[in-house]
Every structure is written in C-alpha cells, then in structure tokens.
C-alpha cells in the first residue's frame, strides 16, 4: 500500500482544498492529513481560524479522499510522522516549493502540487470583509 501525507490548516474548507486532497490521494492508496491544531496555528503560524480543530477535523473526515486525520502540533513532527505511518509520498502546495526537500533524505518522494489559483481561505475572508 502506497501511503501519502499532506499537512495544512484547512479552515473554511473550499474546492481548492478538495482539489489538493483529490490530487494527493491519486498519488497513492491511503491519504493521511496532518491538520494544524488550534495551538499550533495560534503560536507558530500566527493564524486565527474560523473553525476550531474538532470542526475542521470533522469536515476532513467527511471528505472521501481522506483516510486518516492526525494533529499537526509543530513543524518538526513531519519526520516522525513519515516514519510512524510508513509514508511513501509527502505532498504540499507549490507555495512551499523547495522547503521540504530535506524529507527526501527519509526515503519519501516530495511532491509540490499547484494551488487552485482563484481560491484560498485568505481570499474568502477578504471578499467577506469587503461586503
């Protein structure tokens, strides 16, 4: 079984997120999503989420491409997650291009997928604030 992992906040889940998850799942048989916890978003990413972790997790659990959702609590856990879950492919949006190449040293393929250009959580929030 080929295992794929990706990470993100997935707040205000939208079709760009679904596109990423669908493409990530197409690279293997089992998709693991590391979902940023509220504490990690607040302290490390300086992001304020609309939905809390449990609600964001419930949304991801309902997406047919996602097989397992795990908490992402810090930047460094990617290596231990790759080892713990026997991951073959690490996937992330291409806005992170080159940032995770070091994971190749741990035996995984690193794939940077193009973002869905016309949509993002930031764009949704900006559009709502203009109304």
């Amino acid at each position: 079984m080929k295992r794929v992992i990706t990470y993100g906040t997935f707040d205000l889940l939208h079709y760009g997120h679904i596109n990423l998850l669908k493409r990530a799942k197409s690279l293997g048989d089992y998709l693991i999503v590391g979902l940023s916890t509220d504490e990690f978003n607040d302290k490390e990413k300086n992001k304020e989420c609309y939905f809390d972790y449990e609600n964001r997790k419930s949304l991801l659990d309902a997406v047919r491409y996602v097989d397992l959702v795990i908490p992402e609590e810090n930047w460094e856990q990617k290596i231990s997650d790759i080892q713990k879950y026997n991951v073959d492919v690490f996937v992330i949006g291409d806005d992170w291009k080159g940032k995770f190449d070091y994971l190749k040293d741990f035996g995984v393929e690193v794939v940077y997928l193009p973002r869905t250009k016309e949509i993002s959580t930031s764009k949704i929030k900006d559009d709502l604030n203009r109304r």
Side-chain angles (χ1 to χ4, degrees), residues 14-89:
H14 54 71
Y15 67 88
H17 291 131
I18 301 301
N19 287 342
L20 174 77
L21 296 169
K22 180 179 181 181
R23 289 179 292 159
K25 178 67 177 250
S26 76
L27 298 173
D29 306 300
Y30 191 85
L31 178 60
I32 303 163
V33 177
L35 177 61
S36 302
T37 63
D38 296 332
E39 297 77 19
F40 182 46
N41 279 325
D42 182 46
K43 291 185 173 104
E44 297 295 324
K45 292 183 164 184
N46 296 315
K47 281 186 179 181
E48 184 178 342
C49 290
Y50 185 83
F51 293 116
D52 67 12
Y53 176 84
E54 289 304 322
N55 283 309
R56 290 181 287 118
K57 183 179 184 307
S58 293
L59 289 167
L60 285 172
D61 282 336
V63 175
R64 69 179 180 183
Y65 307 113
V66 176
D67 296 294
L68 177 66
V69 179
I70 60 172
E72 180 189 25
E73 298 172 327
N74 60 68
W75 294 111
E76 296 77 27
Q77 81 180 65
K78 289 171 179 61
I79 295 167
S80 60
D81 288 346
I82 285 166
Q83 294 168 337
K84 179 178 181 179
Y85 296 102
N86 300 310
V87 170
D88 301 291
V89 183

